[in-house]
Amino acid sequence: MLALVVIGASFGAQAQTCPVDVRNDIHIVDNTVSLYQEQQPKVLIDENYQLYINGQRVTLDDAQQKAVEAYSQHVQQYLPQVAAVAEEGSSMAKSVIAELASAFDSNEAFTEVDKLVDEYTLKAREKFYKDDQFVMPADIFTTAETSWKEEFEQVMQRLSGASMSAVFSALKEEMKDGELNFTEFQNKMSELKSSMENQIKIRSADVAEKAENVCDSMQGLAQEEQALHEKIPALKDYPMFEI
């Protein structure tokens, strides 16, 4: 639960502070990059780095061709990293759940919590991957601060209830064979808390660094796109990013 709170806060902070707008939907599939407006493809850079606007191939000189190639490669390299940061909390949460289950010696009790994290992971992935395509939605950072935040809070409520149920279930199993030693239990919980907090502190710092690097990459893409528009003015009507 703490892990998901951390990643939610990290991604929310990234959304608030990263000064880049995604102007249109961007699709990446089979080494091609496409820009969509109103669910229709408008710009395509194919696997050979040929440029098409509204289905018509644009003839490029050597300098323009090199700029398109570099830009396509950078888009394909950097954009999926946004999804990786958004999914990082799921990996962190599963580590925390595994540590809890091990501490209580009860994997079965935490099965439902683990399933909920898997469900959250799938939903997070579906925001970026559709029909084997990577899709960067337009206005992604604005959306992350509104509807995504509400959805995240709903997931947290479900996880909170399932986690408490798992803890009580595990405690009940421990008490079956005799009276629970609460002093030992308190010591175990204190050690577990310290271990989890240390783990989350380290990993959340890593997530924050990754989020900052992704933001830097996005700003770099926006600047590269501005330079590309100077070389190919026809692209100015189809912006991907804006600072």
Side-chain angles (χ1 to χ4, degrees), residues 95-203:
S95 295
V96 170
I97 293 166
E99 188 169 354
L100 280 169
S102 177
F104 285 103
D105 194 24
S106 179
N107 289 322
E108 184 178 345
F110 290 88
T111 298
E112 182 63 25
V113 186
D114 208 45
K115 286 181 178 178
L116 283 174
V117 173
D118 287 340
E119 180 183 323
Y120 170 79
T121 304
L122 180 60
K123 285 184 177 181
R125 183 173 179 78
E126 287 175 346
K127 294 183 186 301
F128 294 98
Y129 290 92
K130 307 178 190 301
D131 299 327
D132 297 324
Q133 294 188 44
F134 173 86
V135 179
M136 173 71 82
D139 301 321
I140 178 177
F141 294 128
T142 302
T143 306
E145 272 298 288
T146 54
S147 61
W148 287 23
K149 184 177 180 181
E150 293 176 4
E151 182 179 318
F152 178 80
E153 290 173 349
Q154 292 173 2
V155 171
M156 284 304 305
Q157 289 177 357
R158 293 178 64 194
L159 273 171
S160 179
S163 298
M164 289 301 297
S165 176
V167 169
F168 282 117
S169 177
L171 281 174
K172 186 170 67 175
E173 290 298 317
E174 286 195 12
M175 294 177 68
K176 278 185 177 179
D177 297 327
E179 185 176 350
L180 182 67
N181 186 316
F182 283 100
T183 299
E184 290 181 3
F185 175 75
Q186 285 179 325
N187 290 337
K188 181 167 75 171
M189 288 300 97
S190 179
E191 292 174 2
L192 180 62
K193 177 186 176 184
S194 177
S195 173
M196 289 171 58
E197 286 179 343
N198 185 57
Q199 178 188 161
I200 291 170
K201 181 179 179 180
I202 293 172
R203 295 194 63 175

